[in-house]
Amino acid sequence: MSALICGSMAYDTIMVFHDRFKNHILPEQVHILNVSFLVPDLRREYGGCAGNIAYNLKLLGSEPLPMATVGKDFQPYAQWMSYCGINQEFIRTVEESFTAQAYITTDMDDNQITAFHPGAMSHSHLNTVPTDRGIKLGIVAPDGKDGMVAHAQQFAAAGIPFIFDPGQGMPMFNGEELLEFVELATWVTLNDYESQLMQERTGLKPEELAKKVKALVITRGANGSLIYTDGQCLEIPAAKPKAVLDPTGCGDAYRAGLLFGLLQDMDWATTGRIASLMGAVKVETAGTQNHSFTLAAFRERYHENFGHSF
């Protein structure tokens, strides 16, 4: 039994400007902005929600099935997925497009200027949720808008339980559209900011949203997470990272932990703690797919953090 992961695959090009943007952007001249930043440090990372979630779920010993649309430049990423042993059966190449990519420039104050090109991600609706692969559950993560809508409907029609994870795709949807997702979904996961936005757009408090699904998960970074289920709210403590280097991708790592627990039919207290530890492991390494561990080592860290085993 496996998990189908619907979402984006992307390249992240990350550049570091060894100064501060504020020293080069004059507020009184922003209407004629024309600036150039020298960026001596540059790295290109493999990313995208589907790619990140699949990578982390594979580390936990599961067999993820990422489903995404990619471009003609995807070969290096495909080679990396092959190296990691991740199934690519449901990765569709759109030859006239580039793979989605983000260009991120960070200054010494950790301010960021980002340009995002959706590329092939805009064609995600061309993929269809398969119904003949023994898929136990799925997730609808940030992707092209039409694809997110179609895949949620297809999961529901096929009777496959799934997580709705709007993430950075939330601004694409109004309150009515978000409620339609919630009505179709089995579980919903949000970070604390997204939770506030969901409340504003739907008019529903977390307790009210939770009544529409089997569980509502709200992550709060270093403050842990909340899981609303069966009329109660479980407080999941944050695991302790050995270092805090890069929070990018922590949410995807956490969601991989949720999928792992659900695939194993674990209780929510255990599932939430596994997800919490996945986020802590990720934050210790720069980039979204550069961390690694053995399952035995992960189990040991779990015991160290929470005082029991799974």
Side-chain angles (χ1 to χ4, degrees):
M1 304 293 277
S2 56
L4 186 72
I5 303 168
C6 303
S8 61
M9 306 288 292
Y11 289 115
D12 296 330
T13 300
I14 302 164
M15 299 158 281
V16 179
F17 176 50
H18 292 180
D19 200 339
R20 292 168 172 78
F21 294 144
K22 66 182 181 181
N23 295 334
H24 299 264
I25 299 176
L26 303 176
E28 66 276 11
Q29 297 294 318
V30 292
H31 62 291
I32 53 170
L33 187 64
N34 187 355
V35 294
S36 177
F37 302 111
L38 178 66
V39 287
D41 298 333
L42 181 150
R43 69 179 194 271
R44 196 183 198 200
E45 303 284 1
Y46 302 120
C49 295
N52 294 340
I53 295 171
Y55 177 82
N56 284 282
L57 191 53
K58 184 69 177 183
L59 288 179
L60 287 167
S62 294
E63 294 300 326
L65 294 174
M67 188 170 82
T69 43
V70 301
K72 55 190 175 183
D73 57 342
F74 190 67
Q75 186 178 4
Y77 203 151
Q79 292 174 340
W80 168 246
M81 293 180 71
S82 295
Y83 175 79
C84 295
I86 298 174
N87 187 298
Q88 299 177 51
E89 179 180 354
F90 301 109
I91 304 295
R92 176 193 290 260
T93 300
V94 182
E95 292 292 349
E96 65 271 21
S97 297
F98 289 104
T99 301
Q101 38 205 302
Y103 296 89
I104 306 164
T105 304
T106 303
D107 74 356
M108 292 296 96
D109 288 332
D110 288 329
N111 295 308
Q112 291 186 332
I113 296 175
T114 300
F116 182 74
H117 172 66
M121 188 182 79
S122 300
H123 300 278
S124 61
H125 57 280
L126 297 177
N127 281 331
T128 302
V129 171
T131 58
D132 59 350
R133 286 299 307 276
I135 293 168
K136 182 174 181 178
L137 52 85
I139 182 169
V140 174
D143 208 348
K145 180 177 181 178
D146 292 342
M148 292 179 71
V149 172
H151 298 151
Q153 293 172 342
Q154 290 161 11
F155 272 129
I160 300 173
F162 73 96
I163 297 173
F164 174 49
D165 170 28
Q168 61 265 39
M170 182 173 281
M172 296 188 295
F173 304 103
N174 59 34
E176 182 179 347
E177 291 168 328
L178 289 170
L179 279 177
E180 289 177 0
F181 277 111
V182 174
E183 295 289 349
L184 293 171
T186 314
W187 311 279
V188 173
T189 180
L190 309 162
N191 65 26
D192 46 4
Y193 173 78
E194 293 157 4
S195 172
Q196 292 297 320
L197 194 57
M198 178 73 84
Q199 291 179 64
E200 291 178 7
R201 295 196 173 183
T202 65
L204 297 179
K205 297 178 180 179
E207 296 81 1
E208 295 172 308
L209 285 168
K211 291 179 180 178
K212 296 180 176 294
V213 291
K214 288 188 176 180
L216 168 66
V217 182
I218 300 176
T219 61
R220 304 181 298 164
N223 294 319
S225 50
L226 302 175
I227 300 178
Y228 295 84
T229 184
D230 292 330
Q232 59 180 328
C233 179
L234 304 177
E235 294 192 20
I236 306 299
K240 297 178 181 178
K242 297 177 181 177
V244 178
L245 293 183
D246 182 7
T248 308
C250 286
D252 293 331
Y254 185 100
R255 282 144 184 78
L258 293 182
L259 289 171
F260 177 77
L262 290 168
L263 284 168
Q264 301 294 324
D265 296 317
M266 294 178 174
D267 61 80
W268 278 108
T270 303
T271 297
R273 284 166 172 77
I274 290 172
S276 176
L277 181 55
M278 286 298 294
V281 170
K282 161 63 242 351
V283 81
E284 297 166 356
T285 306
T288 59
Q289 298 181 30
N290 294 323
H291 54 293
S292 64
F293 54 78
T294 64
L295 190 53
F298 185 84
R299 288 179 181 274
E300 183 177 342
R301 283 195 65 175
Y302 181 96
H303 186 272
E304 292 172 355
N305 274 270
F306 305 117
H308 62 273
S309 303
F310 70 88

